[in-house]
Amino acid sequence: MAERRRQPDKALELKVHADRAQASFNERFWYSDEGYLFDVIDGEGGDDAACRPNQLLAISLRHPVLDPAKWQPVLETVRRRLLTPVGTTLSVSGPS
């Protein structure tokens, strides 16, 4: 939006913040042991590794926040663990 208003300095500042947020998201939410995203980080009980379908939002947004290299592992995990013949379900290994 700042670019449309001819504010290149503001556009650059916003891009720096967006890039930082994306890098932080990928670092903090990526559950490398299993190849998908934590459901919650820094919660009362620590990080919640429940596999939930809401992680698909990190891929499906107009400007996806998840690194494209991680899309396939997320899709494969959701397909394997959550997809049923009638749609998706919540994680069978975690609390509802």
Side-chain angles (χ1 to χ4, degrees):
M1 183 174 353
E3 288 175 334
R4 286 188 224 148
R5 294 187 181 161
R6 300 176 196 254
Q7 298 174 341
D9 292 340
K10 186 66 171 175
L12 180 58
E13 179 186 344
L14 292 173
K15 178 161 179 18
V16 167
H17 289 300
D19 290 346
R20 183 175 172 208
Q22 183 177 27
S24 178
F25 178 90
N26 280 274
E27 180 183 326
R28 294 290 295 127
F29 275 92
W30 186 245
Y31 183 30
S32 60
D33 290 349
E34 295 292 328
Y36 62 89
L37 297 171
F38 282 109
D39 189 47
V40 175
I41 57 168
D42 300 331
E44 288 183 17
D47 296 342
D48 181 356
C51 182
R52 302 272 195 239
N54 58 339
Q55 65 187 301
L56 294 174
L57 292 172
I59 296 170
S60 64
L61 297 170
R62 183 174 180 195
H63 300 285
V65 68
L66 187 62
D67 183 331
K70 296 174 179 170
W71 294 5
Q72 195 62 38
V74 165
L75 290 172
E76 288 173 7
T77 299
V78 168
R79 184 180 303 120
R80 185 178 70 252
R81 295 179 64 175
L82 303 178
L83 191 62
T84 71
V86 293
T88 60
T89 184
L90 294 177
S91 174
V92 294
S93 62
S96 296

